[in-house]
Amino acid sequence: MTASESISDKGDWGTIPPPNVIRGTHSARPKAIVVFIVKSLFLFIVGFSLLRNGSGLTCWAVDRLYGYNGMVPNACRASGDSGKLHGRQAEAVFLSVPNPASAIAASRQFATKPHLAGSPGDLETAQDFLKLLQDELGINPPSQVPMFEAGSPESSEATLSTTIRDDPHAWIDIYYPVMNTPLDRSLQILGDNDTVLWEADLVEYADDTDPEAGKYNDAVPTFHGLSPAGDVNGTLLDGHYYITVKNTIVLCRYGAIFRGLKVKGAQDLGALGVLIYSDPRDDGTVTEANGYAPYPNGPARSPTSVQRGSVQFLSVYPGDPTTPGYPSYKNSTRTEGSNIPLIPSLPISWANAENLTKSLRKGGPWEGKRVRLANQVDTKVTPIWNTLGVIPGHIKDEVVMIGNHRDGNFFVMGATDPSSGTVSVHEVVRGFGALLRKGWKPLRTIMIASWDAEEYGLIGSTEWGEDFTDWINDHVIAYLNLDSSVSGSRLGASSSPLLSHFVRAEAIAIRESEYAAADSVGVSPLGSGSDYTVFLQRVGVPSTNGGFGSTIHDPVYHYHSVYDSERWQELYGDPGFLRHVAVAKHLGLQAMRLSNAIVLPFNTTHYARELEVYLDSGPWDVDFQALPPQMPNQKWNKEHKRQKKIKKKLRKIICRFIICKKERSAYGMATHAGFIGTLDLFTNSMDLPTLPGSLLREIKKAVQRVQIANKKLHREWFKHLGVAPGKWLGYGATTLPGLTEALTIDQNSTLARYEAMRLKQLIDKLAFTTRVRPL
């Protein structure tokens, strides 16, 4: 692996960063010596003879190593390479390209029509983004659209050939997850003999004041993605008070934790269903109560606005619920899924929530009346489309990735989420295109991804990440994520600690450095809720995320609502689109400087300090004697040893019949399937010789044993030991998650000791590997 997150649980020890990413700050002398040696060795390697010939790579190296002051060797000028852009000159050209007019045009292209994941409109946006990549990167479109079934040789070749190809290329991968769409929904208050006393209007209303919101107000009905079908009735319970939940329908408001975990909590306590609403009390100062008109006539919340969204249990595992740990090909074997609810839920408006509370009021006419919640959905395997493009670098097998999700999903147009991010990436691509036309070539390869079905549960990026885990592990040095660029006026950033200083420096470079309070440099740790999850939390790639968010004084952002429209964005979100452009410049500079840095700007000293902060702020003041040893230490260790033994046996069984290869090997598919699935993947998804019946049965038996072992481990999908989405947070990050949750949630002293031992072993190993050695 070229470079990776340094606290990722891979095997027994985790991933160790290679020496070329070490950046110590305790002593200036060792750092100066290292820089001098790196420069000298690099020039020695490229060779003086290449300088005489004016090699493009060599001239680039001299420019990068010795500054941007015009000191370019005569051979470079003579060869004509001086006409190609390098360093600060290239950055200046890039920064001159993103502009508000182009950004507004792109927003109107992507955010003025519905594009639910898996719909014809979604496919159209995938092809629009493909055309952008082809036009800007100088790719001659083939006679047939390069759209490949995931798992096919063409799809595999498109990604795996990235490290050897010389010219830019772009394509679309098609995955086949299980998703659902809404059919009939209803919400009623029932009287005696099931008479309907009141029925909710579940439609968001708008008029021609907002053209798109008025036209498409019910194009994607208000619903919760991945919520099951159900028709239940029971007493309404105010979810803010912890009383008996069993056999009730829980009413709660959005906020604090991810919506899917609200449903999980209610389900675990025996509830029949869940209703979730957006409360104006959470909207800050811009409210009707403070004299502001509601949207579309003003900046306050529309009383009929509804927050759609997925209710997947995001902190259990993301992606297609039916293919956990392995990619969702068209013919993949599927499970029932253990990260989706068993009880129905609906999102509702504040106006409807107000009516429902009448059944909770003592002495009111509807006191104690039953509530009926009906939710019918169409659940099926649905195609989704990831669009990817590649700019080859001089070093082809080291890759910087940029990613943004494109699907409009539950909230119809999504001018903010995700289209503001798509607009900024659009401008980044235009900037790269301008550079390519002037002969620019990055040192490292840059890959750009437009993910699909993020709103259902990070599906597009997760399936691709599970499909190409080994390739990502070997080649991707950093992943730069962008979800929404602009929903308000305050710039915030999150990243792996390795990249915190780097992210802040690039933000200051574009003079938009108003950060939310977070770590010691103002950059927050990453939890989950966007497409960096598979890269950081499963593979261990250092990742970033950022954008302008809302403050309590900004116009109300109607998150996941039909009112997240182009009109709202142009009128209230970012008039003039200057913030869209600022984010594009920030993201592009990050990508260029990561790609062009000879020594990667990974600050391991800051990482060590943040680990110390995690330790200092953890819930460690615990009486271990008071915690129940729910699983004896011998039994816990036995489970881990048993799992390793089973996987070793599985590999031996397969290799008896098949030549084992690292990429797309039978063993790789088996261990993917072994997470929860079955080994029918062998006969359905791979070009393998026919297996003897006895051998196939033996392999299946081994995989099933791996399944049983995996189910007994702690949130197996997430591998990172330093940070993970909180088990009961979802979006929010929990630092040192295994140890923290063993103490605070599991309250298991044996598990806590085991997690502490894992951390100690890994950190000791990291300290030994990254120590500064005397010269």
Side-chain angles (χ1 to χ4, degrees):
M1 180 167 179
T2 305
S4 66
E5 184 64 54
S6 61
I7 301 288
S8 177
D9 179 21
K10 296 181 181 178
D12 291 334
W13 292 107
T15 299
I16 309 301
N20 73 317
V21 305
I22 304 306
R23 180 185 172 189
T25 59
H26 292 302
S27 170
R29 182 174 177 272
K31 179 178 178 181
I33 294 172
V34 169
V35 171
F36 174 78
I37 291 173
V38 168
K39 289 183 177 183
S40 301
L41 286 176
F42 193 87
L43 286 181
F44 178 78
I45 292 170
V46 298
F48 183 72
S49 61
L50 289 179
L51 281 174
R52 294 179 61 191
N53 295 328
S55 161
L57 173 57
T58 305
C59 295
W60 173 93
V62 172
D63 182 50
R64 288 297 299 173
L65 283 168
Y66 291 102
Y68 309 98
N69 54 9
M71 297 174 62
V72 180
N74 291 332
C76 292
R77 296 191 182 96
S79 70
D81 192 68
S82 60
K84 296 182 180 180
L85 295 173
H86 307 293
R88 301 294 186 190
Q89 185 184 16
E91 290 178 1
V93 171
F94 170 81
L95 292 173
S96 71
V97 175
N99 67 79
S102 175
I104 291 172
S107 185
R108 292 174 180 175
Q109 177 186 10
F110 286 97
T112 55
K113 53 185 179 292
H115 44 290
L116 177 73
S119 70
D122 182 38
L123 173 58
E124 183 180 341
T125 62
Q127 293 173 322
D128 288 344
F129 199 85
L130 176 67
K131 186 177 186 303
L132 169 71
L133 293 171
Q134 291 172 335
D135 291 346
E136 294 296 335
L137 306 187
I139 301 168
N140 186 27
S143 56
Q144 290 186 332
V145 177
M147 191 180 307
F148 311 128
E149 299 269 346
S152 68
E154 294 83 2
S155 171
S156 177
E157 176 69 13
T159 292
L160 300 183
S161 68
T162 292
T163 57
I164 59 174
R165 294 182 63 151
D166 294 319
D167 298 321
H169 63 293
W171 72 99
I172 296 174
D173 280 329
I174 312 173
Y175 289 89
Y176 291 88
V178 169
M179 303 190 299
N180 63 7
T181 51
L183 297 174
D184 296 328
R185 301 109 55 240
S186 65
L187 178 61
Q188 302 167 334
I189 294 178
L190 302 178
D192 298 336
N193 301 318
D194 290 340
T195 56
V196 177
L197 301 178
W198 171 83
E199 183 161 4
D201 188 344
L202 300 177
V203 176
E204 293 182 290
Y205 281 100
D207 55 30
D208 291 341
T209 306
D210 186 325
E212 285 80 33
K215 182 177 181 180
Y216 299 116
N217 68 313
D218 201 31
V220 179
T222 55
F223 84 114
H224 277 151
L226 300 178
S227 176
D231 191 334
V232 297
N233 69 81
T235 304
L236 190 69
L237 172 73
D238 187 338
H240 303 108
Y241 298 94
Y242 293 95
I243 56 179
T244 302
V245 173
K246 191 172 183 179
N247 296 326
T248 65
I249 293 175
V250 179
L251 175 67
C252 54
R253 70 186 194 217
Y254 280 108
I257 67 173
F258 178 61
R259 70 185 78 84
L261 298 180
K262 293 176 185 283
V263 178
K264 185 180 189 300
Q267 174 182 296
D268 290 350
L269 294 173
L272 300 173
V274 179
L275 302 167
I276 315 180
Y277 66 95
S278 299
D279 194 326
R281 288 179 295 177
D282 297 325
D283 288 339
T285 62
V286 184
T287 63
E288 285 191 80
N290 289 336
Y292 294 93
Y295 190 80
N297 300 311
R301 177 175 299 281
S302 168
T304 69
S305 70
V306 178
Q307 182 191 136
R308 300 159 177 83
S310 172
V311 287
Q312 181 190 77
F313 303 159
L314 191 61
S315 56
V316 176
Y317 62 87
D320 180 357
T322 68
T323 61
Y326 58 96
S328 52
Y329 298 156
K330 194 172 187 177
N331 53 0
S332 286
T333 298
R334 301 182 185 275
T335 72
E336 289 297 320
S338 59
N339 69 337
I340 50 178
L342 301 175
I343 61 173
S345 65
L346 281 176
I348 62 173
S349 66
W350 164 242
N352 284 328
E354 276 193 304
N355 278 308
L356 284 170
T357 57
K358 294 177 182 178
S359 72
L360 298 171
R361 293 174 188 165
K362 291 185 178 181
W366 293 348
E367 180 186 358
K369 299 298 183 182
R370 288 176 299 117
V371 170
R372 175 176 177 249
L373 185 170
N375 181 49
Q376 302 303 321
V377 293
D378 181 19
T379 302
K380 61 186 178 183
V381 174
T382 305
I384 62 170
W385 302 274
N386 291 334
T387 305
L388 300 103
V390 175
I391 303 172
H394 291 291
I395 303 173
K396 298 183 180 67
D397 61 353
E398 295 184 8
V399 180
V400 175
M401 282 198 72
I402 298 172
N404 159 257
H405 80 93
R406 185 194 66 255
D407 57 300
N409 216 304
F410 312 109
F411 38 96
V412 193
M413 274 84 69
T416 296
D417 185 4
S419 293
S420 64
T422 302
V423 167
S424 293
V425 173
H426 178 280
E427 293 303 283
V428 170
V429 173
R430 288 182 59 248
F432 290 164
L435 290 171
L436 289 170
R437 287 187 286 274
K438 291 180 178 292
W440 171 78
K441 187 171 186 175
L443 175 61
R444 295 179 180 86
T445 294
I446 297 174
M447 176 179 277
I448 302 160
S450 176
W451 306 118
D452 203 355
E454 189 265 4
E455 291 296 345
Y456 273 96
L458 321 181
I459 291 178
S461 58
T462 299
E463 300 314 306
W464 189 84
E466 291 173 340
D467 204 359
F468 295 101
T469 299
D470 286 344
W471 185 87
I472 295 169
N473 189 52
D474 289 341
H475 301 297
V476 178
I477 64 164
Y479 174 75
L480 311 180
N481 190 67
L482 186 59
D483 201 309
S484 302
S485 287
V486 185
S487 63
S489 62
R490 186 173 188 177
L491 179 63
S494 302
S495 81
S496 307
L498 283 177
L499 290 170
S500 293
H501 281 86
F502 172 76
V503 169
R504 183 175 177 85
E506 305 319 308
I508 292 172
I510 60 166
R511 298 172 184 169
E512 294 285 356
S513 56
E514 187 182 1
Y515 279 99
D519 70 4
S520 57
V521 296
V523 180
S524 304
L526 290 164
S528 187
S530 197
D531 292 303
Y532 55 78
T533 300
V534 70
F535 293 92
L536 174 63
Q537 312 290 5
R538 186 164 177 84
V539 186
V541 175
S543 301
T544 70
N545 191 49
F548 286 89
S550 297
T551 72
I552 62 171
H553 303 300
D554 285 328
V556 173
Y557 164 43
H558 294 78
Y559 179 54
H560 288 196
S561 163
V562 72
Y563 309 119
D564 181 9
S565 63
E566 184 65 22
R567 177 182 181 270
W568 183 88
Q569 184 63 260
E570 293 188 23
L571 183 62
Y572 294 116
D574 186 17
F577 272 53
L578 297 177
R579 293 173 187 145
H580 285 73
V581 172
V583 171
K585 292 179 177 181
H586 184 200
L587 183 64
L589 277 184
Q590 287 183 63
M592 291 180 71
R593 292 183 178 178
L594 277 169
S595 172
N596 290 335
I598 292 177
V599 178
L600 291 169
F602 291 173
N603 193 326
T604 55
T605 300
H606 179 66
Y607 204 136
R609 288 173 177 169
E610 285 305 301
L611 287 176
E612 186 175 6
V613 171
Y614 298 167
L615 286 169
D616 290 343
S617 60
W620 315 135
D621 187 16
V622 176
D623 179 5
F624 277 83
Q625 299 302 319
L627 295 179
Q630 296 174 1
M631 181 181 286
N633 196 50
Q634 290 181 348
K635 186 176 179 183
W636 186 265
N637 289 334
K638 185 177 179 181
E639 289 295 341
H640 274 266
K641 291 178 181 177
R642 181 170 176 265
Q643 185 194 43
K644 291 179 183 178
K645 185 176 179 181
I646 294 168
K647 288 187 176 182
K648 185 176 181 180
K649 182 178 179 182
L650 175 60
R651 182 176 178 86
K652 287 182 178 179
I653 293 169
I654 296 168
C655 289
R656 263 193 266 149
F657 195 79
I658 303 164
I659 297 174
C660 290
K661 295 181 180 179
K662 188 175 184 181
E663 294 288 348
R664 295 195 168 274
S665 66
Y667 173 67
M669 293 300 295
T671 52
H672 277 161
F675 179 71
I676 288 179
T678 71
L679 206 70
D680 290 343
L681 288 166
F682 275 94
T683 55
N684 292 337
S685 302
M686 302 186 66
D687 295 325
L688 297 174
T690 303
L691 296 174
S694 59
L695 180 57
L696 187 56
R697 284 193 296 272
E698 192 174 355
I699 294 173
K700 286 185 176 182
K701 185 177 179 180
V703 168
Q704 288 167 357
R705 292 172 64 190
V706 175
Q707 295 170 356
I708 294 170
N710 275 333
K711 286 181 180 179
K712 296 180 179 179
L713 302 180
H714 180 73
R715 290 209 281 163
E716 175 69 12
W717 193 91
F718 295 96
K719 303 294 185 183
H720 206 292
L721 295 187
V723 66
K727 191 173 183 178
W728 286 104
L729 294 175
Y731 288 153
T734 293
T735 53
L736 307 181
L739 180 57
T740 299
E741 292 176 357
L743 292 170
T744 60
I745 296 177
D746 299 309
Q747 296 188 355
N748 182 328
S749 62
T750 303
L751 180 56
R753 289 188 179 96
Y754 168 76
E755 292 293 346
M757 178 188 67
R758 280 211 300 166
L759 278 170
K760 180 183 182 301
Q761 289 176 334
L762 178 56
I763 293 172
D764 286 348
K765 185 77 170 180
L766 287 169
F768 177 80
T769 306
T770 61
R771 72 191 188 283
V772 177
R773 297 170 176 83
L775 297 174

